[in-house]
Amino acid sequence: MVSEGLLRFFKDNPMVYGGATREELEQLSRIHELYPDSARLLTDCMAVELPFFRCLRCGQCCAIVRYITVCHEDVKRWAFQGRLDILDSLAIDERRTPLLALKKDEIKAAKAEAWALLESLGICSLKVYRLLYVTRLLECAVYVKRSNGACVFLEEKGDMAACSVHDTKPLVCKKFPYYIGKYTDSRLIKEDSFCPSLRATKKKK
Ligand code: SF4
Ligand code: SF4
């Protein structure tokens, strides 16, 4: 459910939100509702078009970004794929879970939905059950664990970095550095950006 105010905001910034799906807008509004002080929504003025971004596979993003968050769609996909190895590599941010108390009306339905899904897939895991209902109700509350200062899925292949779960990686990784569609946040493009490809974009401008 997207509030009237946010619907107006999305309409006033057609460049960024014009091509967004209903699900994307709903996800953004949930994040904004939960973290009104920290979750900034991108306006057309702050957006930079990146039509030809090329990843150099340096792996900096996988090492530097501390919280690679995963969403409900990611958790559901991995459950369907039987990727218990991936689900086992996720952690729930328990600093966020007290927020579940604000969702009293929805928690019963979210738990029932999680239980039914696990039953249909023949998965018996309390952890996956929690991952499902927590991500159903909260954004940015589940993230990929780290090891040796980087995402656990980061691998080295010769001079290049590789993602060991590339085919099914979290949506947030699939999207980076795009916000929605082909735009990114101008704050990401700066001289000290951790991403060499974004730094190069700055030089070309
Ligand atoms: S930091 Fe940029 S260039 Fe390096 S792997 Fe990440 S997206 Fe690609
Ligand atoms: S899941 Fe893959 S792409 Fe995402 S941070 Fe980890 S190694 Fe990088």
Side-chain angles (χ1 to χ4, degrees):
M1 181 70 184
V2 184
S3 74
E4 283 296 313
L6 279 182
L7 274 179
R8 239 188 339 269
F9 176 85
F10 294 141
K11 214 168 159 202
D12 289 346
N13 293 282
M15 196 169 99
V16 180
Y17 303 102
T21 62
R22 181 84 197 175
E23 286 74 31
E24 284 173 325
L25 295 183
E26 279 174 3
Q27 191 187 17
L28 281 173
S29 75
R30 278 200 302 273
I31 294 173
H32 188 69
E33 186 189 316
L34 278 168
Y35 315 110
D37 299 329
S38 55
R40 195 174 72 143
L41 289 167
L42 199 61
T43 65
D44 280 2
C45 302
M46 298 185 287
V48 176
E49 191 177 2
L50 285 183
F52 305 116
F53 177 82
R54 191 170 71 88
C55 173
L56 304 172
R57 293 185 58 189
C58 68
Q60 287 297 310
C61 49
C62 315
I64 286 175
V65 178
R66 285 196 65 77
Y67 292 102
I68 304 289
T69 54
V70 305
C71 63
H72 187 59
E73 281 64 34
D74 290 324
V75 175
K76 256 193 354 197
R77 185 176 68 257
W78 294 326
F80 274 116
Q81 293 171 341
R83 295 300 302 265
L84 297 183
D85 56 327
I86 300 181
L87 293 164
D88 203 38
S89 302
L90 306 179
I92 296 176
D93 186 347
E94 299 297 351
R95 293 167 307 173
R96 302 253 194 254
T97 49
L99 289 166
L100 288 172
L102 302 174
K103 308 259 178 184
K104 264 190 265 162
D105 298 342
E106 299 158 70
I107 200 157
K108 215 170 148 194
K111 284 184 172 178
E113 190 184 296
W115 189 256
L117 179 67
L118 291 186
E119 253 197 332
S120 71
L121 297 173
I123 297 175
C124 178
S125 161
L126 193 55
K127 177 172 179 181
V128 182
Y129 170 62
R130 276 198 87 213
L131 288 169
L132 279 166
Y133 76 76
V134 168
T135 51
R136 177 81 179 78
L137 298 171
L138 301 176
E139 298 290 339
C140 311
V142 172
Y143 55 91
V144 183
K145 288 181 189 168
R146 293 169 67 81
S147 160
N148 300 321
C151 170
V152 285
F153 300 126
L154 182 63
E155 290 181 337
E156 270 179 34
K157 286 221 168 125
D159 288 346
M160 295 212 173
C163 172
S164 63
V165 295
H166 179 71
D167 291 344
T168 187
K169 62 176 148 186
L171 289 179
V172 71
C173 303
K174 223 179 215 173
K175 244 187 219 176
F176 184 85
Y178 298 98
Y179 191 75
I180 273 180
K182 52 190 180 171
Y183 295 95
T184 194
D185 190 328
S186 54
R187 286 183 313 174
L188 272 179
I189 302 179
K190 47 188 187 178
E191 293 296 349
D192 63 347
S193 168
F194 58 78
C195 172
S197 197
L198 284 174
R199 283 203 303 273
T201 306
K202 163 102 181 177
K203 281 180 196 131
K204 269 186 243 152
K205 280 177 79 201

